[in-house]
């Protein structure tokens, strides 16, 4: 005997009732998700999601009860943001990349390839800086003095001080005043 179910009414704003997940219906891709569900599924704290939203990286809609609801594609956008951050891309550059997508859509594999190519030179420069830092740290640790003003190897006679303030050796220019 086959049971026929009638329409189900979900009165709570949460996607669960009594611990059971709301049934995912065929063609239900446009269903909005709560911030709790987005946090749980993305592994990102709700406070970070609020931060992303305040900074224009993701957006939500508000229910009549003023609760946030996110499109399901926010999961992919959050993943894109996290991967970009992990490789050292600043949030302003991530936002610019997301803003460059047509209609604010979620990045595809092709988009990621294009965007990552834009960032490749910057990442290569960071890698060179880190390799330089690693080499210099080995030298300083071997010497033991760790003094940039008196080190005869790294900064003889404090010549870098004549070029300005800040980490000139690392940035190639004096710190902005």
């Amino acid at each position: 005997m086959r049971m026929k179910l009638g329409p189900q009414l979900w009165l709570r704003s949460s996607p669960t009732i009594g611990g059971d997940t709301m049934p995912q219906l065929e063609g239900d891709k446009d269903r909005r998700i709560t911030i709790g569900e987005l946090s749980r599924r993305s592994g990102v704290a709700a406070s970070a999601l609020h931060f992303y939203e305040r900074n224009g990286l993701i957006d939500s809609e508000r229910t009549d009860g003023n609760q946030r609801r996110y499109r399901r594609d926010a999961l992919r956008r959050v993943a894109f943001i996290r991967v970009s951050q992990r490789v050292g891309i600043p949030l302003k550059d991530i936002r610019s990349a997301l803003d460059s997508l047509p209609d604010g859509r979620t990045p595809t594999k092709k988009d990621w390839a294009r965007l990552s190519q834009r960032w490749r030179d910057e990442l290569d420069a960071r890698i060179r800086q880190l390799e330089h830092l690693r080499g210099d740290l080995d030298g300083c640790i071997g010497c033991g003095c760790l003094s940039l003003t008196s080190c005869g190897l790294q900064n003889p006679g404090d010549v870098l001080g004549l070029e300005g303030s800040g980490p000139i050796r690392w940035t190639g220019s004096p710190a902005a005043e």
Side-chain angles (χ1 to χ4, degrees), residues 5-24:
L5 293 176
Q8 299 293 313
L9 181 61
W10 301 91
L11 298 176
R12 293 178 45 157
S13 61
S14 169
T16 62
I17 290 186
D20 297 326
T21 303
M22 276 183 15
Q24 185 71 24

Side-chain angles (χ1 to χ4, degrees), residues 43-142:
V44 175
S47 58
L49 296 172
H50 289 287
F51 177 78
Y52 292 163
E53 189 172 351
R54 276 193 313 273
N55 284 280
L57 298 165
I58 61 174
D59 47 299
S60 66
E61 297 171 357
R62 296 293 184 134
T63 66
D64 291 338
N66 202 30
Q67 296 174 333
R68 287 179 168 88
R69 291 294 185 268
Y70 297 88
R71 292 190 328 256
R72 296 175 61 79
D73 66 349
L75 285 164
R76 188 179 302 165
R77 287 179 78 90
V78 170
F80 175 84
I81 294 164
R82 296 295 302 244
V83 168
S84 300
Q85 285 182 303
R86 183 166 230 147
V87 297
I89 305 300
L91 284 179
K92 66 178 182 57
D93 294 341
I94 297 170
R95 182 179 49 247
S96 174
L98 289 171
D99 289 346
S100 75
L101 299 172
D103 301 323
R105 68 173 164 71
T106 299
T108 63
K109 184 177 179 179
K110 186 176 179 180
D111 293 325
W112 176 253
R114 178 180 55 84
L115 295 170
S116 65
Q117 184 62 45
R118 270 183 20 192
W119 295 331
R120 186 173 306 277
D121 291 339
E122 183 180 333
L123 292 173
D124 288 342
R126 285 187 196 166
I127 290 168
R128 285 190 300 276
Q129 285 180 330
L130 289 170
E131 288 172 342
H132 180 67
L133 173 63
R134 182 184 60 210
D136 281 359
L137 281 178
D138 289 348
C140 286
I141 292 169

